[in-house]
Amino acid sequence: MRAFSALEDGVELPFIFIIPKDREGVVSNQDWDNIGQRRTDSGSYTFNNVLVKKDEILGPPNSPDSAFSTFLAIIAQLTKTNVFLGITKGAFAAAREYTKTTTKPWITSGVDSATQDPYILHHYGDFWVEIQAAIALADQAAEKLQAAWEKDAELTYQERGEVAIAVFAARGLASRVGIDITNRIFEVTGTRATATKYGFDRYWRDLRTFTLHDPVDYKLRAIGDWVLNDQLPVITQYS
């Protein structure tokens, strides 16, 4: 099965429909050839007189009288946040193992092991603090999200918006920390770690591509509008 969305003229939010992947008239153009993980695929499709049955249409993702019916977008944002953190933690763990077993100390460091190099120690300390902060903020957002989820249909738009802000904050920090660390791991692994056989660049490539699908700048803008103007985030499929 494949899930698609389509905009109706004059309607801001899309309808969602799910159809069999072999439905006649649906053509995958296979035109996604970018850096990063394949699961970030954003290739295009062409539709030629595709039949969509009534019971295959899920309808728009929100209802004007139900904040809870729009909550999936917030869950998706926190899911992405934790994927970002997973990539970052993977990069940290891989770099740590390489540093402990392979990296050589710099010739003027005055130490015999890379694990005693003062600048390498400094970087790892910095990495650790950043990761712990990002994890803590994501966990805090998850607690708020769970509490909101348990309210079910009683969830108000105000409560939904406050959870969205918490999740946006976690996503913003996870994006920033992840891009920073997946790039800087080479400063603690050394030149030889850039060899293709190690593939350490995959962490940065995966995260760089994934974070661009949904610009974090708009999340930070929404947070700023809430901080200064008490405006809740506009409800969209990404917020």
Side-chain angles (χ1 to χ4, degrees):
M1 306 296 287
R2 287 198 176 108
F4 292 103
S5 62
L7 285 171
E8 184 180 7
D9 290 341
V11 179
E12 181 180 356
L13 292 174
F15 284 84
I16 310 297
F17 59 97
I18 299 176
I19 58 177
K21 66 178 182 179
D22 57 355
R23 178 65 54 84
E24 184 177 357
V26 179
V27 179
S28 173
N29 297 317
Q30 297 296 309
D31 52 1
W32 183 255
D33 184 26
N34 295 56
I35 64 172
Q37 56 183 278
R38 290 189 299 274
R39 295 295 289 175
T40 63
D41 191 344
S42 288
S44 65
Y45 282 79
T46 299
F47 299 85
N48 298 311
N49 297 316
V50 177
L51 172 66
V52 179
K53 301 175 183 178
K54 185 176 181 180
D55 62 0
E56 294 172 335
I57 300 174
L58 303 183
N62 82 316
S63 168
D65 59 355
S66 174
F68 188 72
S69 68
T70 71
F71 207 54
L72 180 60
I74 306 303
I75 295 173
Q77 288 296 317
L78 189 59
T79 300
K80 291 180 181 180
T81 299
N82 281 282
V83 173
F84 298 166
L85 288 174
I87 293 172
T88 305
K89 291 170 66 178
F92 178 86
R96 177 175 178 269
E97 181 62 24
Y98 184 92
T99 298
K100 293 176 67 175
T101 61
T102 308
T103 302
K104 304 297 182 184
W106 187 240
I107 57 175
T108 59
S109 65
V111 297
D112 298 325
S113 168
T115 59
Q116 297 300 317
D117 186 296
Y119 294 106
I120 288 178
L121 291 174
H122 174 84
H123 282 304
Y124 272 108
D126 196 26
F127 294 166
W128 180 256
V129 169
E130 288 187 346
I131 291 173
Q132 298 311 304
I135 291 173
L137 201 58
D139 287 349
Q140 183 183 87
E143 292 178 359
K144 293 181 178 180
L145 186 145
Q146 181 64 34
W149 174 264
E150 291 171 0
K151 289 179 178 291
D152 200 82
E154 300 301 316
L155 183 70
T156 67
Y157 279 101
Q158 179 68 33
E159 292 167 335
R160 180 205 186 277
E162 291 174 357
V163 174
I165 291 297
V167 172
F168 291 176
R171 186 178 183 277
L173 184 59
S175 299
R176 182 181 301 167
V177 167
I179 294 298
D180 178 52
I181 290 177
T182 56
N183 174 45
R184 289 172 57 204
I185 59 172
F186 294 102
E187 296 176 24
V188 295
T189 52
T191 306
R192 287 183 296 175
T194 62
T196 304
K197 65 180 179 179
Y198 298 119
F200 288 141
D201 62 310
R202 70 188 184 276
Y203 300 105
W204 180 86
R205 288 187 289 107
D206 288 349
L207 193 57
R208 179 68 285 180
T209 299
F210 200 177
T211 55
L212 293 174
H213 278 64
D214 180 6
V216 71
D217 285 340
Y218 282 89
K219 299 295 181 290
L220 297 175
R221 177 176 179 264
I223 293 172
D225 202 17
W226 176 73
V227 169
L228 292 180
N229 304 312
D230 296 319
Q231 292 295 316
L232 296 176
V234 175
I235 298 175
T236 72
Q237 65 196 93
Y238 293 105
S239 55

